[in-house]
Structure formats: structure tokens, C-alpha cells
Amino acid sequence: MTRDLDAAAAPPDESTAESAAESTHETPDATPGEAPAPPRRRAGSAPTIYDVAKLAGVAPSTVSRALGKPGRITPRTQMKVQAAADELQYRFNPMARALPTGRSSTLGMLVADFTNPVFFEMVRGAEHLAADHGYTLILSESEESGPREAEQAARLLPSVGGLVLATTRLTDDEILSLAAAKPVVLINRAVPGVDSVVSDVAPGIDAALELLHDLGHRSIAYLAGPELAWIGRRRWDHLLAAAPALGMRIVEIPTSSPTIEGGADALTRVRASGVTAVVAYNDLVAIGLMQAAKEAGVGVPDELSIVGFDDIFGASLTSPSLTTVKTELRSIGARAMGKLLDALGPDDGRPMSVDEGPVPTVLVRRESTGPAAR
């Protein structure tokens, strides 16, 4: 899965144009402005893309398209290139396509935690689009650590064409430093001057608060995420503004980690706060709180209603099933990759992404929310 970065769209009379382009590479005495002829193949050496191009009578870039991206050229030219490659017993190496241009055919994606299912669909959306355009996507994780993320980014940067940072824990200055070296796109983080894709938390949170209000809840808690989680602060800020407007009291309760264990650890503080409903930073925290409540004999939703965030795989499989604010995770990943491909330069001259604004959120009501306990 790599991209032919030096290939341009083929002209109508492809064979004629390819032959003309090839003659540029074969001219022994190239005039100024023309590309120099590639080195001649030594006896006994492995065949190169230039050997295939010479035998087929096309340009090297056409060979790259034919072998790396079938369907991008005419069937006649495709057959001609494949026949030449077969005759020379040429084996296409997609990772080598970046060498003539000095541009990498790989892209990087850093996520906060591989074990969090919230990233599954993000990665899938990004990877599918990258693969469709011939790129290999390299994944790495920060384990919710800013210093580790900075270290991983520094290791990835020399070998990739650009980076997607998903829910990054880096500082603004660290992000700007990376963006000065290679194209960078952020997911659920905004830094002036850096491309990003964020979710619009307002619709989902408003729907969750209206549901809880209609169920009689007047005192709720927000189980917070990591201190450096930008999207977590956005969620709290909106809750803090919207809940009092509905006549609801709200308190923020910290968690030890944005995991099932972090949610379970928060049960003591939740019970001490006297709230009847909780909105959690993410679904893992909500599930952990739900499990701890069950072990402690606290009924959900009879005594405590719980709302999660993200609608990860498994949120509908808990008992009771989890009410959650859903984010279109695959769409976020695909949009971020589209922005990154645009920054690298689309191979057909058309932009991959359209700035559609924040990705909306919606409430998915299930069994973990019910009438407030009297």
C-alpha cells in the first residue's frame, strides 16, 4: 500500500505521451532542463523499473502506476507493462517508489491508547483512505503520556510523509514544532495554524442533559478524563454551561485514568457526591463505574444513571446496555487522513477533503439511564 507520488494523470493519447516521456529518460546527451538518463543495467543485476519502462516503451512513472495502482492506466498499456515485467522477471517493490522523489510512501498515526476501542474506527477510517491512495499507515501509541508521545513522534518523523495525532497529549509548542517539519493533522485537538478534525460535543451533550432532566435528575456529575485531554475540557465546559441552564447542579469528579479501572475507582467519590446521574469522559470510564456499582450493590439505572461518550464497540453489549453520546469515529479518521493527503498534494490535483466543520455527536439511549431515585 504505497502511493505513486511522481505520477501525473495520463493524457488522452497515453501511448504517445508515454513514449515521449520515456525518450526524455533515454537521451544520452540530455539538454539542460531534461532529466538525465538512468544508469544502465549491469550484467547480472536485478531488473529495475527503468528496464521495464524501456522494454515496454513507456515512462518509468507509467510502470509505477501500472504495477502499483492497477486500473489507473488504459488496459492496453497495463498489459504491455505487465508483459515487460514478466519477461524481465521484475518484482515490484512498492516501498522503493519514494526514492526517486525523496518523498515517503508511508504515513504515521499516533493514538493515545491501543487498548481503547475508541481508536479502532478512527484508525480504520484513516487507513482505508490512505490505502486507497497508495500509502502505508504506521501506527504508534503514547500510552496517555505526553513525553512518550513526543519520543514516538520524533522516531516516526524521519520515515513518514506526515502524521495524524489522535487525541494528542502534546503541548501546543510541541505540536507546532512537528508541524514545522512535516504535515500534521490533529484529531479532537485544536492548535492555531495546524489542520484538525474535531467533534461537535454540543448536540450530544444537550440531548443527554435533556434526557436526564426529563427523567427527573437534578444533580449530576462529570467523571473527567486526563488533564491534557483537550476534548475532555470541551465536554466539561459545555456541561458546566448547559446543566445550570436546565436547573441542574453539576460537579466534576477526577478519575485516575480514562479506563475501566479509572471508572471503577471513582465510585466512592460518586456516591459521596450524592448525585443521581453521571456523564463519563468516555465509555470505558462509564463501563468501569457501572461494573463497580454492580459489585457494590448500587442499581443501574434504579439508583444511578450513567451516560458514556463515543459509543465504542461493546457499549451496547454491557448489562445494562450503555447510554452514550455517539461520535462518528470512522468519519473523523477519514477526514483527518483526507486533510493530510491534501497537505501532501493529491495525485490528481483535486482536494481529498472538504472542510465540513466539526463532526456532530448524537445521543444513543439505552438501558443505563432511568428515572431519578426518590
Side-chain angles (χ1 to χ4, degrees):
M1 298 184 293
T2 49
R3 184 184 186 185
D4 180 10
L5 293 166
D6 61 346
D13 187 358
E14 189 171 21
S15 179
T16 301
E18 287 163 352
S19 297
E22 175 59 16
S23 66
T24 301
H25 288 274
E26 292 183 7
T27 304
D29 301 316
T31 58
E34 292 182 322
R40 294 183 180 275
R41 179 184 170 197
R42 292 180 298 176
S45 63
T48 69
I49 195 171
Y50 296 106
D51 299 319
V52 177
K54 183 175 182 179
L55 182 59
V58 299
S61 60
T62 301
V63 175
S64 183
R65 280 202 302 275
L67 301 181
K69 291 173 147 185
R72 294 291 298 275
I73 63 175
T74 64
R76 179 175 64 84
T77 303
Q78 178 79 41
M79 292 176 62
K80 185 165 56 173
V81 171
Q82 189 61 59
D86 292 343
E87 181 178 337
L88 294 173
Q89 295 184 320
Y90 173 76
R91 294 295 176 264
F92 181 61
N93 178 8
M95 298 301 288
R97 280 187 297 184
L99 297 179
T101 62
R103 297 177 67 182
S104 175
S105 58
T106 59
L107 301 173
M109 186 170 184
L110 267 165
V111 302
D113 182 3
F114 278 154
T115 65
N116 189 341
V118 73
F119 296 110
F120 295 171
E121 289 299 300
M122 278 189 196
V123 170
R124 180 166 292 176
E127 198 280 332
H128 279 186
L129 192 59
D132 286 346
H133 291 80
Y135 281 95
T136 298
L137 186 62
I138 299 174
L139 300 177
S140 186
E141 70 166 338
S142 68
E143 297 180 9
E144 294 287 354
S145 165
R148 177 173 171 80
E149 184 175 0
E151 179 183 335
Q152 294 298 94
R155 288 178 178 175
L156 278 176
L157 207 60
S159 58
V160 299
L163 282 173
V164 173
L165 303 180
T167 62
T168 177
R169 304 299 183 236
L170 298 178
T171 65
D172 286 6
D173 287 343
E174 287 173 322
I175 292 170
L176 289 169
S177 178
L178 291 174
K182 293 284 180 72
V184 170
V185 178
L186 309 175
I187 290 179
N188 278 343
R189 174 71 174 274
V191 175
V194 181
D195 284 334
S196 64
V197 179
V198 300
S199 58
D200 181 2
V201 301
I205 288 178
D206 289 343
L209 290 177
E210 289 170 7
L211 170 64
L212 293 175
H213 183 274
D214 291 346
L215 290 171
H217 296 277
R218 296 296 182 268
S219 181
I220 66 176
Y222 172 63
L223 291 192
E227 185 177 351
L228 294 177
W230 181 88
I231 193 65
R233 301 313 303 175
R234 297 258 298 188
R235 291 168 181 170
W236 166 243
D237 288 345
H238 192 81
L239 283 164
L240 188 58
L246 291 172
M248 304 168 76
R249 298 182 301 277
I250 186 167
V251 61
E252 184 180 31
I253 296 176
T255 58
S256 57
S257 65
T259 61
I260 288 176
E261 292 77 13
D265 291 344
L267 178 64
T268 300
R269 290 188 293 275
V270 168
R271 296 187 71 182
S273 71
V275 301
T276 59
V278 169
V279 177
Y281 165 73
N282 65 18
D283 287 343
L284 293 184
V285 170
I287 291 170
L289 178 65
M290 191 186 305
Q291 291 177 347
K294 182 177 181 180
E295 291 177 3
V298 178
V300 176
D302 294 341
E303 297 176 73
L304 182 68
S305 286
I306 299 175
V307 178
F309 243 102
D310 297 323
D311 195 27
I312 62 173
F313 173 79
S316 63
L317 305 178
T318 60
S319 181
S321 56
L322 182 63
T323 296
T324 184
V325 177
K326 179 182 179 66
T327 305
E328 292 296 338
L329 302 172
R330 185 180 296 200
S331 175
I332 285 180
R335 284 198 198 182
M337 181 54 63
K339 286 180 178 288
L340 188 59
L341 293 175
D342 283 347
L344 294 168
D347 56 356
D348 59 2
R350 294 178 299 176
M352 288 301 308
S353 64
V354 177
D355 191 358
E356 302 175 73
V359 179
T361 55
V362 297
L363 180 69
V364 179
R365 182 178 180 179
R366 297 195 180 103
E367 299 167 343
S368 65
T369 47
R374 292 179 180 273

